[in-house]
Amino acid sequence: SILAMGIQASQLTAAEIEELQEKTGFSQKEIKVLYRRFMRLDKSQTGDILPSEFMAIPELAMNPLAERIVVLFQNINFTQFLEILSLFNSRIVQNRGGCGKRHLRLLFRLYDVDEDGFISEEDLQKVFEMLVGDNLTEQQIQRTVRRTLSEADEDGDGVLCFAEFSKAFDLANTQQEITFNFLE
């Protein structure tokens, strides 16, 4: 099955395309376009996109969280590439009834900088700094982080678990904030 490995052949078979359509929601035409793009990005011709190759995607490189995204998705094969892009494709997100757990899990992982399964004050601080750059002072960022944490931390343990993060996150804005059109 192609889902268990990267695709290293020069062409996708009809069966592989059909399997990828079911898994990701992309059309046959979109899969072929993305496959050509993947092959161009895979400069090392290993069947995986390396972090440096992944950052060559302009839509990703412009994202303030690009470095976090690359850390989460190192050395991805074509199937993983499509799965990741399907999370960010507004049409697919809309067809699947809006943002769901997959989006929230991805966002949670982006915010969980130390990868301990919780979002701490330090995690929030680092992500907020990436997002706002020099537009806010460190004190403004700290106040925002503390307010966010105090409002969302339902059990008062000083960190956000996935359930608390999910409740606190505005699902209506998730789609707008993390989708982009990669096919254009």
Side-chain angles (χ1 to χ4, degrees), residues 53-70:
E53 295 165 337
F54 205 49
M55 287 300 288
I57 302 170
E59 298 87 348
L60 177 64
M62 293 185 319
N63 189 311
L65 295 175
E67 288 181 30
R68 286 288 307 136
I69 294 169
V70 169

Side-chain angles (χ1 to χ4, degrees), residues 87 96-109 162-163 165-166 171 174 178:
L87 292 175
R96 290 182 173 167
C99 294
K101 266 196 168 153
R102 289 177 70 197
H103 277 94
L104 289 173
R105 286 238 177 257
L106 172 64
L107 287 172
F108 185 82
R109 289 180 62 204
F162 179 71
F165 177 82
S166 297
L171 291 176
T174 304
I178 67 165

